[in-house]
Amino acid sequence: NPITQGAKFDVSGDYVRTYCPELAALPIKYIHKPWEAASALQQASNVKLGKTYPKPVIEHKMGRERALAAYKQMRAAKESGA
């Protein structure tokens, strides 16, 4: 999970601020998940989701659940010899 890893290993957001300068003005609370910042805060920080920074492609929780379900299905098929 890139959000969890970022929060764990880039607590202050220094890496993000260096390599994603378009997010540099965001408070630490939102540096790893700018889409959760209120629209007014995004605007004040000059973050334009979909323009200056991409919108999330998929919600992590949903993607994880889908991947785990697919893995479970493949494992069951392999165990049954299908």
Side-chain angles (χ1 to χ4, degrees):
N1 181 340
I3 298 166
T4 302
Q5 294 298 308
K8 184 175 180 181
F9 296 107
D10 184 29
V11 178
S12 63
D14 292 340
Y15 182 90
V16 173
R17 291 178 206 289
T18 299
Y19 294 101
C20 295
E22 59 274 25
L23 302 179
L26 282 172
I28 291 172
K29 180 178 180 179
Y30 299 109
I31 197 77
H32 299 291
K33 45 190 174 184
W35 52 88
E36 290 187 3
S39 295
L41 180 57
Q42 289 178 22
Q43 188 174 12
S45 301
N46 202 30
V47 173
K48 297 175 184 91
L49 292 179
K51 294 184 179 170
T52 61
Y53 190 80
K55 293 180 181 181
V57 175
I58 187 170
E59 190 224 327
H60 177 76
K61 183 179 178 182
M62 183 180 69
R64 180 179 185 277
E65 289 171 0
R66 193 173 82 192
L68 290 173
Y71 175 74
K72 184 177 179 180
Q73 184 179 17
M74 288 187 309
R75 187 174 175 103
K78 182 179 179 183
E79 290 173 358
S80 71

